[in-house]
Structures are given as structure tokens and as C-alpha cells.
Amino acid sequence: MLNCRVCGGPVEEFLDFGQQPLANAFREVGQTDDEFFFRLAVGLCGSCTMVQLVEEVPRIRMFHDAYPYHSSGSSVMRKHFDATARHFLETELTGHDPFIVELGCNDGIMLKAVAEEGVRHLGVEPCGGVAELAKAAGVRVISEFFQDSTAAGIRAADGPADVIFAANTISHIPYMESILSGVDRLLKPDGIFVFEDPYLGDIVRRSAFDQIYDEHFYFFTARSVRAMAERHGFALVDVERLPVHGGEVRYTLARQGARHPTASVAELLAEEEELGLGRMETLRGFAANVRKNRDDLVALLTDLRAQGRTVIGYGAAAKSATVTNYCGIGPDLVAYVTDSTAAKQGRLTPGSHLPVRPPSAFSDPYPDYALLFAWNHAEEIMAKERAFHEAGGKWILWVPEVRIV
Ligand code: JHZ
Ligand code: SAH
Ligand code: ZN
């Protein structure tokens, strides 16, 4: 029996992807024989309802100086985080000499605007490559993994924080005990801990199984986050649905009794109850939908190959690792993937070994079909690539179901 990484309760598995590579471990051409694989499977805690991976990958295997994901690669995300910074500057950072800390600041996509306003801040970013980009953008960064001891060091050097923020980072950290005691140590008595991550409700509703890969250790709900907060003396005081990355929730935690919860917390909890998000039966239903999506996608691609159609992938997203490896999509079905990230170009996708090419390859010549691996950026990408569609090109999507548009 497995134990929950948050509460120690019993974890029951509901979906197994088998052996999978690390989603951001792009390979050099010719160096594909020593890949690291682990068993990717998800379970539900029968006690606190936290959905989590059953196997943990050591953090230094995933997050290192050559980490290839650069947050600022999407204009929609740049706008999103600029608005996030403005929001904090206008609401929480208005007192005397305020201080904001961001965990997993990546290339500085959010803190850049804070730095430009001259407000005291610190980014905590273990990956040296992206941390350097943040520094170049004027952001103050320490290149470390956040944990209890890091919080103690920051508190001693800089004093307590008004806001601790993290986007797409807290769900990536299995050792929650150390994170929350660190937050407790670093936060002012009336400070807030705000984090946003892919929402289990959206993943289940959309059968978005590709959100499941090594880096995404937890799949939060208001209910599981509330339980997690309360174990450490915090309360869940606000939740906000976000449209980015295929559906996320921004959770706000404050010390118990420090702030009144907004009505949105009770509303989301009620919605989750209705949807049955904390029940094994619901998650087994999700797993069945996932298997159907996989079968439909493989059938479609096999059919297109038989008809002699050309198919490529658009966006070598981390998510595409789960799709390609779970569905067995190799270069025979998808000739290459185009991606705007220089660090991914010229390499091969993990496990599936699809060559990654720069965006200029896409129109040279256009393929018949493009699998939209970065479906969370559909609006931005389809607008940018209107000429492809106008030339008769078609997009293939598998979320929420397999379809051609
Ligand atoms: P995108 C990563 O996931 C990993 P990924 C991580 N675990 C996480 O949670 C999220 O980020 C936040 C490219 N692209 O954003 C850039 C184009 O080529 O969906 C990226 O490689 N052209 C931390 O990797 C990829 O697609 C474009 O126009 O699944 C998108 O990756 C755009 C917009 C993107 O995150
Ligand atoms: N916040 C950005 C980056 C998300 S990528 C965005 O939303 O786009 C996740 C980031 O978390 C990576 O840059 C990774 O290096 C960082 N990370 C992983 N573990 C961490 C930890 N323990 N402490 C701080 N950052 C961490
Ligand atoms: Zn639990």
C-alpha cells in the first residue's frame, strides 16, 4: 500500500501509463540509448483526496541548469503574468517597503514587472539557465530549490514576505511538509501564499491526460488543497479559475483566522462534490476516457499514414511526451515537431525521438495535418498560423476528444 505524500493516508492507483521518460529530457541525435524511464501512474488518497503520482523522480534529474522550458515563449503567458504582477503591486504590495518572493520564477516572466517598479522581490529558481535569463531581465534570483532551510536563509537575509507566489511549481514538489513549514517561516503574520497549477477538475472534464508527466506530481482541487493547508496552520481563503494552460486554479492561503474566505471557496468545493472529484469511481471513468482518446488518436494517425498524408507535431511541449509515448507515436506517424525554443531545436523528443525543428520548418512545405501538442496555446498558435489553415492544412486535437479542425 502506498502512502499519501501530504497526509500519509492510503493511496489507490487509477491510471497507469507504464514506463515513461522525463518530459523535458530532450535527446541529442544519436544519443538515445541511455534514457531514464520511470513508472508514470496516478493515485487518489482515500484520506485527504490528493491526487498524486505513485513514483517520485529525483528533483535534480528534472530541474538542472539545462532545463529547456522558458516561460516567456508564449505572448499570452507574458500578458497573464504581467497582469499577475500588477495585481500584487496594486493590492498586497502597497505598504511600507513590501517584499514578494516567487518560487520557480523561471526566466522572470512575472517578477520582471515587479523589478521594473523597484519593489523588493526575490526569485527562487534552481535551474541555472533560466535563472540567468531572469537576472538579465533585472530580477533578483537565488539559484536554489525552495525548502524549509531556504526559507530560513531568506528570512534571515531579507526579512518576512508579504506575498509568496508560485505558478506551475508547487504541484511539481512532492515534499510538501518542508514547503509549507518554509512558507510559515517566511511569511508575515498577515501575508499570503498564492499558487496556481493545473486543476484536476479541468483535467478530468477534458480528459487532458497529457497534463500527467514526471514534473506534475500533484493534481490539486480546492478540497485537497484546503486539507493540505489546514495540516500546517493555514486556511484556503480564495480560489480563482484561470483559463491558462488548459485550466488552472489560483489558490490563496493565509494563516488560520487572518483573512475571511471568499464565497468562491465554498462554491468550488460544492462544484467538486457535484463532479465527484474526490471519488475513485469518477477517476476510473476518467481513466476509461483516456484509453478511448489514445485508441482514437492512434487509429486516426494510422489511417492518415495509410492515405499517404503528412503529419507533423506543433510545440514540443512537456505534455507531448505523455501523448507520444503512451500512444506509441514515433517518426513513422509524425515526421517532426516544430518548436520556437532554441534549446529544444535540433534535438529529439524524449522516448518517442521525434526530431524538433524550428518554426520556419513548418511552412517548408506545410504538412497536411499538424498535431497541436501545445493545445493550451491553441488560440495564440492558430492565430499565428492562419496561413496554414488557409492553405488547406488541418489541426488535430485530442482534448477533450480526438477531432480535426
Ligand atoms: P507549454 C511546461 O509544460 C513544463 P509544457 C511545466 N511542468 C509546466 O507545468 C508548464 O510548462 C508551465 C512551444 N511554442 O507552455 C514552446 C511554440 O513552438 O504548453 C514550448 O516548447 N510556438 C513547468 O512544455 C511549447 O510550445 C508557440 O507559438 O507542456 C509549449 O509548452 C507557442 C505559444 C509555444 O508547456
Ligand atoms: N512559474 C513559471 C515556471 C514554471 S516551470 C511559469 O509558470 O511559467 C517550473 C519551475 O519550477 C521550473 O523553472 C523549476 O526549476 C522550478 N522548481 C522546481 N522545483 C522547485 C523548487 N523546489 N523550488 C523552486 N523552484 C522549483
Ligand atoms: Zn492524503
Side-chain angles (χ1 to χ4, degrees), residues 63 67 69 71 81 102-106 109 124-127 130 144-146 167-169 172-173 175:
F63 306 114
Y67 185 64
Y69 182 69
S71 300
F81 285 120
E102 186 183 10
L103 316 180
C105 70
N106 200 278
I109 189 168
V124 183
E125 175 49 65
C127 298
V130 288
E144 280 178 42
F145 284 97
F146 184 81
N168 305 298
T169 298
H172 295 49
I173 310 177
Y175 43 97

Side-chain angles (χ1 to χ4, degrees), residues 295-305 396 402-404:
D295 295 347
D296 289 353
L297 183 59
V298 173
L300 173 64
L301 294 175
T302 311
D303 201 38
L304 291 174
R305 180 180 54 188
I396 300 174
V402 176
R403 64 193 205 281
I404 296 170

Side-chain angles (χ1 to χ4, degrees), residues 199-371:
Y199 180 49
L200 182 69
D202 289 311
I203 293 174
V204 166
R205 245 189 289 255
R206 297 182 179 171
S207 303
F209 66 89
D210 49 359
Q211 291 284 17
I212 303 169
Y213 55 86
D214 56 333
E215 294 177 21
H216 287 173
F217 189 84
Y218 291 115
F219 300 89
F220 296 143
T221 61
R223 182 170 168 188
S224 62
V225 166
R226 184 181 60 169
M228 176 175 103
E230 287 174 356
R231 290 180 65 79
H232 292 270
F234 291 100
L236 176 61
V237 296
D238 192 33
V239 288
E240 186 189 345
R241 303 285 291 265
L242 303 172
V244 296
H245 286 307
E248 301 203 321
V249 170
R250 177 177 289 174
Y251 304 91
T252 302
L253 272 50
R255 289 181 205 286
Q256 274 167 19
R259 295 197 188 199
H260 281 297
T262 61
S264 56
V265 177
E267 278 162 24
L268 192 59
L269 286 166
E271 214 180 283
E272 291 175 358
E273 187 63 36
E274 181 95 350
L275 207 65
L277 278 187
R279 291 208 316 267
M280 211 44 196
E281 186 195 343
T282 312
L283 298 168
R284 287 199 200 284
F286 161 67
N289 290 343
V290 169
R291 286 186 286 270
K292 181 179 184 310
N293 276 12
R294 173 194 58 186
D295 295 347
D296 289 353
L297 183 59
V298 173
L300 173 64
L301 294 175
T302 311
D303 201 38
L304 291 174
R305 180 180 54 188
Q307 292 172 29
R309 307 289 181 177
T310 52
V311 182
I312 67 109
Y314 201 107
K319 291 183 290 296
S320 68
T322 297
V323 180
T324 57
N325 289 289
Y326 179 56
C327 299
I329 297 171
D332 56 325
L333 289 175
V334 172
Y336 68 88
V337 190
T338 170
D339 195 286
S340 56
T341 317
K344 297 180 182 178
Q345 295 161 5
R347 296 178 153 205
L348 304 173
T349 58
S352 44
H353 304 156
L354 309 179
V356 183
R357 305 227 175 116
S360 56
F362 186 47
S363 54
D364 189 25
Y366 279 132
D368 297 319
Y369 294 84
L371 263 176

Side-chain angles (χ1 to χ4, degrees), residues 35-207:
E35 273 186 281
F36 176 85
F37 284 84
F38 75 110
R39 192 169 79 87
L40 180 66
V42 235
L44 169 73
C45 173
S47 218
C48 74
T49 73
M50 184 64 84
V51 169
Q52 55 201 278
L53 297 191
V54 305
E55 204 173 292
E56 173 182 347
V57 173
R59 64 188 189 180
I60 49 166
R61 279 197 176 270
M62 300 184 282
F63 306 114
H64 45 72
D65 291 350
Y67 185 64
Y69 182 69
H70 296 187
S71 300
S72 297
S74 152
S75 63
V76 170
M77 293 314 299
R78 288 198 300 271
K79 271 191 219 126
H80 169 78
F81 285 120
D82 197 59
T84 304
R86 309 261 158 239
H87 164 76
F88 288 133
L89 288 167
E90 283 159 20
T91 56
E92 302 290 333
L93 304 173
T94 54
H96 172 69
D97 193 23
F99 180 40
I100 177 169
V101 175
E102 186 183 10
L103 316 180
C105 70
N106 200 278
D107 58 10
I109 189 168
M110 196 287 283
L111 283 180
K112 190 172 172 292
V114 175
E116 278 163 8
E117 292 300 321
V119 169
R120 232 161 30 95
H121 64 276
L122 182 67
V124 183
E125 175 49 65
C127 298
V130 288
E132 283 307 315
L133 294 175
K135 279 181 204 165
V139 174
R140 194 174 148 241
V141 192
I142 52 167
S143 201
E144 280 178 42
F145 284 97
F146 184 81
Q147 55 194 27
D148 195 25
S149 55
T150 328
I154 299 170
R155 166 106 201 193
D158 295 308
D162 297 86
V163 177
I164 300 176
F165 177 72
N168 305 298
T169 298
I170 299 305
S171 60
H172 295 49
I173 310 177
Y175 43 97
M176 199 57 78
E177 180 115 15
S178 178
I179 296 299
L180 288 175
S181 62
V183 167
D184 188 24
R185 199 185 283 283
L186 184 54
L187 206 57
K188 281 188 184 166
D190 57 347
I192 50 172
F193 176 34
V194 182
F195 54 97
E196 56 192 58
D197 288 277
Y199 180 49
L200 182 69
D202 289 311
I203 293 174
V204 166
R205 245 189 289 255
R206 297 182 179 171
S207 303

